[in-house]
Amino acid sequence: MKRIKLIELPKISDERGNLTFIESFNHIPFQIKRVYWIYDVPGGEIRGSHAFKKTEEFIVALSGSFDVVLHDGVKEYRYTLNRSYYGIYIPQLIWRTLENFSTNSVCLVLASEFYDENDYIREFDKFLSEVKKK
Ligand code: TYD
């Protein structure tokens, strides 16, 4: 079974600044099909609160910080992302909530699938029953 994983990315530093990169199957265990980013989040807002049946994601705080709260159906895990050379890998069937966005934070998300509303599970009870089927 695929597991939630905090992944440190390469960081190339010189006097001109830092550079970080991500390659499919090298740093993250899936082929990237879609990239989106969440930004200008008003203070106190919560994003996410859903799971995916099939989509795997990798989330990076490109700027600022926010918390990623994950639930695997049994236990809750909380990660604070605040570095652009770290990310959290989220396999399918994990409930995720993003909160505590700092001012000007940018949340980059790499996804293994194209956008498909049918891949979303938006009710926590439904998520729990899907996990039990596995
Ligand atoms: P949603 O996934 O609910 O946002 P969050 O994960 O931050 O809670 O998406 C918000 C809206 O944006 C929803 O109407 C679907 C749309 N959307 C797309 O059209 N394409 C995408 O790739 C994503 C992620 C969302």
Side-chain angles (χ1 to χ4, degrees):
M1 202 178 114
K2 289 176 169 173
R3 304 181 68 141
I4 296 163
K5 204 172 164 210
L6 193 63
I7 296 174
E8 184 171 358
L9 299 165
K11 182 180 171 197
I12 316 289
S13 302
D14 62 33
E15 56 286 347
R16 298 168 303 157
N18 301 328
L19 182 152
T20 287
F21 57 94
I22 303 171
E23 292 174 352
S24 299
F25 299 123
N26 189 356
H27 308 102
I28 53 170
F30 60 84
Q31 175 89 54
I32 300 160
K33 275 198 188 163
R34 178 166 51 105
V35 178
Y36 62 94
W37 48 101
I38 297 168
Y39 53 101
D40 290 347
V41 178
E45 279 298 341
I46 289 175
R47 305 283 319 205
S49 292
H50 50 70
F52 296 112
K53 295 174 206 158
K54 189 169 170 218
T55 303
E56 299 164 66
E57 289 191 328
F58 184 70
I59 300 183
V60 183
L62 274 193
S63 181
S65 69
F66 51 84
D67 293 343
V68 182
V69 187
L70 303 176
H71 203 296
D72 62 6
V74 179
K75 208 174 151 220
E76 187 180 276
Y77 307 81
R78 179 180 288 267
Y79 297 86
T80 298
L81 294 183
N82 54 14
R83 294 281 180 269
S84 43
Y85 55 86
Y86 265 100
I88 179 91
Y89 165 71
I90 308 176
Q92 46 271 94
L93 269 194
I94 298 287
W95 189 267
R96 90 280 317 277
T97 303
L98 275 56
E99 59 188 36
N100 285 331
F101 286 86
S102 70
T103 307
N104 292 330
S105 55
V106 179
C107 168
L108 177 76
V109 186
L110 311 179
S112 67
E113 306 297 329
F114 297 121
Y115 172 72
D116 176 7
E117 185 56 40
N118 293 320
D119 195 43
Y120 280 74
I121 305 172
R122 292 193 182 273
E123 291 102 51
F124 193 70
D125 285 352
K126 197 167 160 233
F127 159 70
L128 289 178
S129 58
E130 286 294 322
V131 170
K132 283 199 190 102
K133 282 188 211 159
K134 295 283 155 184

mmCIF file of all heavy atoms in Angstrom, residues 96-119:
data_model
loop_
_atom_site.group_PDB
_atom_site.id
_atom_site.type_symbol
_atom_site.label_atom_id
_atom_site.label_comp_id
_atom_site.label_asym_id
_atom_site.label_seq_id
_atom_site.Cartn_x
_atom_site.Cartn_y
_atom_site.Cartn_z
ATOM 1 N N ARG A 96 -7.913 15.110 2.986
ATOM 2 C CA ARG A 96 -6.966 16.196 3.229
ATOM 3 C C ARG A 96 -7.679 17.534 3.420
ATOM 4 O O ARG A 96 -8.668 17.833 2.750
ATOM 5 C CB ARG A 96 -5.926 16.306 2.102
ATOM 6 C CG ARG A 96 -6.211 17.183 0.904
ATOM 7 C CD ARG A 96 -7.127 16.537 -0.112
ATOM 8 N NE ARG A 96 -6.818 15.152 -0.378
ATOM 9 C CZ ARG A 96 -5.882 14.746 -1.222
ATOM 10 N NH1 ARG A 96 -5.225 15.626 -1.927
ATOM 11 N NH2 ARG A 96 -5.673 13.464 -1.421
ATOM 12 N N THR A 97 -7.117 18.292 4.357
ATOM 13 C CA THR A 97 -7.587 19.654 4.618
ATOM 14 C C THR A 97 -6.358 20.549 4.695
ATOM 15 O O THR A 97 -5.350 20.162 5.291
ATOM 16 C CB THR A 97 -8.363 19.696 5.951
ATOM 17 O OG1 THR A 97 -9.436 18.764 5.883
ATOM 18 C CG2 THR A 97 -8.933 21.067 6.214
ATOM 19 N N LEU A 98 -6.428 21.711 4.062
ATOM 20 C CA LEU A 98 -5.322 22.682 4.099
ATOM 21 C C LEU A 98 -5.810 23.893 4.881
ATOM 22 O O LEU A 98 -6.875 24.441 4.566
ATOM 23 C CB LEU A 98 -4.931 23.088 2.677
ATOM 24 C CG LEU A 98 -3.931 22.195 1.927
ATOM 25 C CD1 LEU A 98 -4.410 20.767 1.846
ATOM 26 C CD2 LEU A 98 -3.674 22.728 0.529
ATOM 27 N N GLU A 99 -5.037 24.297 5.881
ATOM 28 C CA GLU A 99 -5.476 25.412 6.728
ATOM 29 C C GLU A 99 -4.289 26.209 7.252
ATOM 30 O O GLU A 99 -3.134 25.849 6.991
ATOM 31 C CB GLU A 99 -6.338 24.874 7.890
ATOM 32 C CG GLU A 99 -5.618 23.883 8.764
ATOM 33 C CD GLU A 99 -6.531 23.221 9.794
ATOM 34 O OE1 GLU A 99 -7.705 22.960 9.494
ATOM 35 O OE2 GLU A 99 -6.040 22.953 10.907
ATOM 36 N N ASN A 100 -4.592 27.262 7.996
ATOM 37 C CA ASN A 100 -3.545 28.140 8.572
ATOM 38 C C ASN A 100 -2.617 28.741 7.511
ATOM 39 O O ASN A 100 -1.390 28.777 7.705
ATOM 40 C CB ASN A 100 -2.699 27.380 9.606
ATOM 41 C CG ASN A 100 -3.437 27.176 10.905
ATOM 42 O OD1 ASN A 100 -4.289 27.996 11.259
ATOM 43 N ND2 ASN A 100 -3.139 26.104 11.596
ATOM 44 N N PHE A 101 -3.192 29.178 6.419
ATOM 45 C CA PHE A 101 -2.377 29.793 5.360
ATOM 46 C C PHE A 101 -1.808 31.121 5.844
ATOM 47 O O PHE A 101 -2.556 31.977 6.345
ATOM 48 C CB PHE A 101 -3.233 30.060 4.114
ATOM 49 C CG PHE A 101 -3.561 28.821 3.331
ATOM 50 C CD1 PHE A 101 -4.660 28.037 3.662
ATOM 51 C CD2 PHE A 101 -2.760 28.436 2.264
ATOM 52 C CE1 PHE A 101 -4.968 26.893 2.932
ATOM 53 C CE2 PHE A 101 -3.065 27.299 1.527
ATOM 54 C CZ PHE A 101 -4.164 26.528 1.872
ATOM 55 N N SER A 102 -0.499 31.309 5.680
ATOM 56 C CA SER A 102 0.099 32.596 6.024
ATOM 57 C C SER A 102 -0.174 33.583 4.884
ATOM 58 O O SER A 102 -0.500 33.172 3.758
ATOM 59 C CB SER A 102 1.608 32.442 6.255
ATOM 60 O OG SER A 102 2.262 32.173 5.039
ATOM 61 N N THR A 103 -0.019 34.860 5.175
ATOM 62 C CA THR A 103 -0.227 35.895 4.145
ATOM 63 C C THR A 103 0.738 35.641 2.984
ATOM 64 O O THR A 103 1.903 35.333 3.210
ATOM 65 C CB THR A 103 0.052 37.285 4.757
ATOM 66 O OG1 THR A 103 -0.737 37.393 5.930
ATOM 67 C CG2 THR A 103 -0.309 38.394 3.800
ATOM 68 N N ASN A 104 0.257 35.745 1.779
ATOM 69 C CA ASN A 104 1.069 35.569 0.565
ATOM 70 C C ASN A 104 1.601 34.154 0.363
ATOM 71 O O ASN A 104 2.567 33.953 -0.368
ATOM 72 C CB ASN A 104 2.248 36.548 0.525
ATOM 73 C CG ASN A 104 1.767 37.972 0.352
ATOM 74 O OD1 ASN A 104 0.725 38.197 -0.257
ATOM 75 N ND2 ASN A 104 2.500 38.920 0.908
ATOM 76 N N SER A 105 1.003 33.153 1.015
ATOM 77 C CA SER A 105 1.492 31.791 0.790
ATOM 78 C C SER A 105 1.004 31.280 -0.573
ATOM 79 O O SER A 105 -0.054 31.680 -1.070
ATOM 80 C CB SER A 105 1.054 30.857 1.918
ATOM 81 O OG SER A 105 -0.333 30.901 2.068
ATOM 82 N N VAL A 106 1.820 30.412 -1.142
ATOM 83 C CA VAL A 106 1.484 29.788 -2.425
ATOM 84 C C VAL A 106 1.628 28.281 -2.259
ATOM 85 O O VAL A 106 2.700 27.784 -1.892
ATOM 86 C CB VAL A 106 2.401 30.277 -3.567
ATOM 87 C CG1 VAL A 106 2.024 29.592 -4.879
ATOM 88 C CG2 VAL A 106 2.320 31.787 -3.726
ATOM 89 N N CYS A 107 0.532 27.568 -2.516
ATOM 90 C CA CYS A 107 0.505 26.105 -2.373
ATOM 91 C C CYS A 107 0.525 25.488 -3.768
ATOM 92 O O CYS A 107 -0.425 25.630 -4.542
ATOM 93 C CB CYS A 107 -0.773 25.720 -1.634
ATOM 94 S SG CYS A 107 -1.141 23.963 -1.675
ATOM 95 N N LEU A 108 1.627 24.817 -4.093
ATOM 96 C CA LEU A 108 1.751 24.158 -5.398
ATOM 97 C C LEU A 108 1.310 22.706 -5.259
ATOM 98 O O LEU A 108 1.734 22.019 -4.323
ATOM 99 C CB LEU A 108 3.212 24.200 -5.867
ATOM 100 C CG LEU A 108 3.489 23.484 -7.186
ATOM 101 C CD1 LEU A 108 3.006 24.314 -8.369
ATOM 102 C CD2 LEU A 108 4.972 23.171 -7.337
ATOM 103 N N VAL A 109 0.460 22.250 -6.194
ATOM 104 C CA VAL A 109 0.004 20.860 -6.148
ATOM 105 C C VAL A 109 0.293 20.178 -7.481
ATOM 106 O O VAL A 109 -0.111 20.670 -8.542
ATOM 107 C CB VAL A 109 -1.512 20.761 -5.844
ATOM 108 C CG1 VAL A 109 -1.924 19.304 -5.660
ATOM 109 C CG2 VAL A 109 -1.888 21.583 -4.614
ATOM 110 N N LEU A 110 0.990 19.061 -7.431
ATOM 111 C CA LEU A 110 1.220 18.227 -8.609
ATOM 112 C C LEU A 110 0.285 17.032 -8.485
ATOM 113 O O LEU A 110 0.212 16.417 -7.420
ATOM 114 C CB LEU A 110 2.671 17.747 -8.645
ATOM 115 C CG LEU A 110 3.737 18.819 -8.447
ATOM 116 C CD1 LEU A 110 5.122 18.197 -8.489
ATOM 117 C CD2 LEU A 110 3.607 19.900 -9.502
ATOM 118 N N ALA A 111 -0.421 16.717 -9.560
ATOM 119 C CA ALA A 111 -1.423 15.654 -9.488
ATOM 120 C C ALA A 111 -1.169 14.589 -10.549
ATOM 121 O O ALA A 111 -0.660 14.886 -11.634
ATOM 122 C CB ALA A 111 -2.815 16.252 -9.660
ATOM 123 N N SER A 112 -1.558 13.367 -10.219
ATOM 124 C CA SER A 112 -1.306 12.226 -11.114
ATOM 125 C C SER A 112 -2.394 12.067 -12.176
ATOM 126 O O SER A 112 -2.264 11.235 -13.069
ATOM 127 C CB SER A 112 -1.227 10.936 -10.295
ATOM 128 O OG SER A 112 -2.495 10.642 -9.728
ATOM 129 N N GLU A 113 -3.505 12.834 -12.036
ATOM 130 C CA GLU A 113 -4.631 12.690 -12.973
ATOM 131 C C GLU A 113 -5.111 14.061 -13.429
ATOM 132 O O GLU A 113 -4.914 15.058 -12.737
ATOM 133 C CB GLU A 113 -5.809 11.971 -12.296
ATOM 134 C CG GLU A 113 -5.467 10.629 -11.675
ATOM 135 C CD GLU A 113 -4.991 9.590 -12.664
ATOM 136 O OE1 GLU A 113 -5.437 9.627 -13.828
ATOM 137 O OE2 GLU A 113 -4.155 8.751 -12.268
ATOM 138 N N PHE A 114 -5.789 14.094 -14.568
ATOM 139 C CA PHE A 114 -6.452 15.310 -15.002
ATOM 140 C C PHE A 114 -7.621 15.584 -14.066
ATOM 141 O O PHE A 114 -8.081 14.680 -13.371
ATOM 142 C CB PHE A 114 -6.960 15.173 -16.444
ATOM 143 C CG PHE A 114 -5.858 14.969 -17.450
ATOM 144 C CD1 PHE A 114 -5.834 13.844 -18.257
ATOM 145 C CD2 PHE A 114 -4.839 15.903 -17.570
ATOM 146 C CE1 PHE A 114 -4.812 13.651 -19.172
ATOM 147 C CE2 PHE A 114 -3.819 15.721 -18.491
ATOM 148 C CZ PHE A 114 -3.805 14.585 -19.283
ATOM 149 N N TYR A 115 -8.099 16.812 -14.055
ATOM 150 C CA TYR A 115 -9.226 17.163 -13.187
ATOM 151 C C TYR A 115 -10.457 16.350 -13.571
ATOM 152 O O TYR A 115 -10.838 16.282 -14.737
ATOM 153 C CB TYR A 115 -9.536 18.666 -13.286
ATOM 154 C CG TYR A 115 -10.802 19.021 -12.559
ATOM 155 C CD1 TYR A 115 -10.839 19.015 -11.167
ATOM 156 C CD2 TYR A 115 -11.973 19.305 -13.260
ATOM 157 C CE1 TYR A 115 -12.010 19.300 -10.488
ATOM 158 C CE2 TYR A 115 -13.151 19.595 -12.582
ATOM 159 C CZ TYR A 115 -13.155 19.590 -11.201
ATOM 160 O OH TYR A 115 -14.309 19.868 -10.537
ATOM 161 N N ASP A 116 -11.072 15.738 -12.568
ATOM 162 C CA ASP A 116 -12.288 14.961 -12.789
ATOM 163 C C ASP A 116 -13.123 15.006 -11.508
ATOM 164 O O ASP A 116 -12.737 14.402 -10.495
ATOM 165 C CB ASP A 116 -11.914 13.506 -13.131
ATOM 166 C CG ASP A 116 -13.127 12.617 -13.276
ATOM 167 O OD1 ASP A 116 -14.265 13.128 -13.250
ATOM 168 O OD2 ASP A 116 -12.937 11.381 -13.400
ATOM 169 N N GLU A 117 -14.227 15.719 -11.565
ATOM 170 C CA GLU A 117 -15.061 15.870 -10.353
ATOM 171 C C GLU A 117 -15.509 14.504 -9.828
ATOM 172 O O GLU A 117 -15.707 14.334 -8.622
ATOM 173 C CB GLU A 117 -16.256 16.778 -10.667
ATOM 174 C CG GLU A 117 -17.141 17.127 -9.479
ATOM 175 C CD GLU A 117 -16.415 17.786 -8.287
ATOM 176 O OE1 GLU A 117 -15.529 18.639 -8.520
ATOM 177 O OE2 GLU A 117 -16.746 17.465 -7.131
ATOM 178 N N ASN A 118 -15.635 13.504 -10.714
ATOM 179 C CA ASN A 118 -16.072 12.170 -10.273
ATOM 180 C C ASN A 118 -15.036 11.447 -9.430
ATOM 181 O O ASN A 118 -15.336 10.420 -8.820
ATOM 182 C CB ASN A 118 -16.416 11.293 -11.485
ATOM 183 C CG ASN A 118 -17.623 11.825 -12.204
ATOM 184 O OD1 ASN A 118 -18.580 12.274 -11.557
ATOM 185 N ND2 ASN A 118 -17.578 11.821 -13.527
ATOM 186 N N ASP A 119 -13.808 11.974 -9.426
ATOM 187 C CA ASP A 119 -12.763 11.340 -8.615
ATOM 188 C C ASP A 119 -12.799 11.842 -7.164
ATOM 189 O O ASP A 119 -12.124 11.297 -6.302
ATOM 190 C CB ASP A 119 -11.386 11.605 -9.239
ATOM 191 C CG ASP A 119 -10.319 10.685 -8.672
ATOM 192 O OD1 ASP A 119 -10.608 9.473 -8.513
ATOM 193 O OD2 ASP A 119 -9.221 11.165 -8.353
#
